[in-house]
Amino acid sequence: MSMVVYDTMSGTKRPFETLEEGKVKMYVCGVTPYSLCHLGHARCYVAWDLVYRYLQYVGYDVTYVRNFTDVDDKIINRANEQGVDPMELAETNIQAFYADMDSLGIARPHHEPRVSTSIDAIIDIVTRLESNGLAYNVDGDVFFEVDRFDDYGKLSKRNLDDLRA
């Protein structure tokens, strides 16, 4: 299974290598279900579906994970506007997402973690980042300490000094 991929970090082509021989772990960012899907969602998940199916086709054992950010200010604000429970709004839009993606023939992932069922793990990670000096709290909001991460900006090819504070 020899494939060449474009390495965004280095800007070069290189052989596709997996952590475990013959296995690929694929994580794709999911939607924040504060409203119905749009064409951009379809384009995104059709593209990832092609990647997933191609990797299977060439013989990889693929574990596909896609999340739902079902706890978010956008959901809370939209639910308040509509006079509904935020979790009900999120669930309604998740079901509509499934209907839309199913109608396009997009395969469902093996795992679909939700923020609402991962709060304890998220708090643990944020607490560890803070205790290691990689995040800081301002009035109840936690921010990543970009100066402490040497490769910050590498993916976007931006210099930290050129970004706004």
Side-chain angles (χ1 to χ4, degrees):
M1 291 181 274
S2 177
M3 290 193 310
V4 174
V5 295
Y6 179 76
D7 184 331
T8 308
M9 296 295 271
S10 68
T12 61
K13 291 181 182 179
R14 63 170 178 80
F16 179 67
E17 298 170 337
T18 60
L19 296 174
E20 212 175 322
E21 182 67 33
K23 295 185 178 190
V24 172
K25 296 177 182 177
M26 182 173 136
Y27 186 95
V28 175
C29 290
V31 297
T32 302
Y34 66 95
S35 66
L36 298 175
C37 291
H38 52 72
L39 189 57
H41 293 125
R43 186 213 52 85
C44 173
Y45 299 114
V46 165
W48 284 115
D49 187 64
L50 287 168
V51 171
Y52 168 61
R53 290 173 192 258
Y54 179 76
L55 289 170
Q56 285 184 310
Y57 172 76
V58 296
Y60 286 102
D61 176 16
V62 183
T63 300
Y64 179 15
V65 179
R66 181 183 64 213
N67 72 302
F68 284 111
T69 305
D70 63 342
V71 175
D72 186 272
D73 288 343
K74 290 179 182 180
I75 296 169
I76 295 166
N77 294 338
R78 183 68 51 91
N80 288 339
E81 290 170 10
Q82 296 179 5
V84 298
D85 178 76
M87 294 309 295
E88 285 180 34
L89 176 67
E91 187 59 35
T92 297
N93 289 324
I94 288 170
Q95 294 309 314
F97 173 86
Y98 283 141
D100 291 343
M101 297 304 116
D102 289 350
S103 72
L104 294 171
I106 294 172
R108 291 195 186 186
H110 298 101
H111 306 286
E112 293 182 300
R114 296 181 183 209
V115 168
S116 62
T117 58
S118 305
I119 297 291
D120 290 340
I122 292 167
I123 291 171
D124 180 55
I125 291 167
V126 171
T127 301
R128 284 187 301 173
L129 288 170
E130 286 179 297
S131 66
N132 290 329
L134 297 172
Y136 58 97
N137 190 310
V138 176
D139 298 328
D141 293 319
V142 179
F143 297 90
F144 185 69
E145 184 62 74
V146 296
D147 289 330
R148 299 283 313 270
F149 185 67
D150 292 337
D151 285 339
Y152 190 83
K154 186 174 181 181
L155 181 62
S156 62
K157 312 250 188 295
R158 302 190 116 191
N159 183 325
L160 188 57
D161 295 330
D162 296 336
L163 302 176
R164 284 193 317 178

